[in-house]
Amino acid sequence: MKPISDKDQQVKYLKDRLQMFVEVLDSIDPENTELADIDRLISMVDDLEEKMDQFKSR
């Protein structure tokens, strides 16, 4: 995949990923949440943080 170097595209990408995270978070039923669900959320946040760091260094 080609790196995103345009700042507007970077912001859009991060907003889209954050929206995806919020949708996953909203869909989780606290009564039936398993450790795998929590791990997936943590992984999504870690990926988002990594991408933000990549964008900052460009």
Side-chain angles (χ1 to χ4, degrees), residues 1-7 9-10 13 51 54-55 57-58:
M1 179 184 268
K2 182 180 170 189
I4 302 172
S5 57
D6 178 66
K7 293 294 182 191
Q9 289 179 346
Q10 290 174 349
Y13 175 87
K51 191 54 82 171
Q54 287 176 2
F55 288 161
S57 68
R58 291 188 187 156

Side-chain angles (χ1 to χ4, degrees), residues 3-45:
I4 302 172
S5 57
D6 178 66
K7 293 294 182 191
D8 290 336
Q9 289 179 346
Q10 290 174 349
V11 170
K12 181 181 179 341
Y13 175 87
L14 293 172
K15 284 181 177 181
D16 290 347
R17 293 299 299 250
L18 187 57
Q19 181 60 38
M20 192 182 326
F21 173 81
V22 170
E23 289 172 7
V24 171
L25 187 61
D26 285 344
S27 71
I28 292 178
D29 178 7
E31 302 272 331
N32 299 317
T33 302
E34 297 181 8
L35 187 55
D37 298 323
I38 303 298
D39 287 343
R40 184 172 52 156
L41 289 171
I42 292 170
S43 177
M44 290 176 78
V45 170

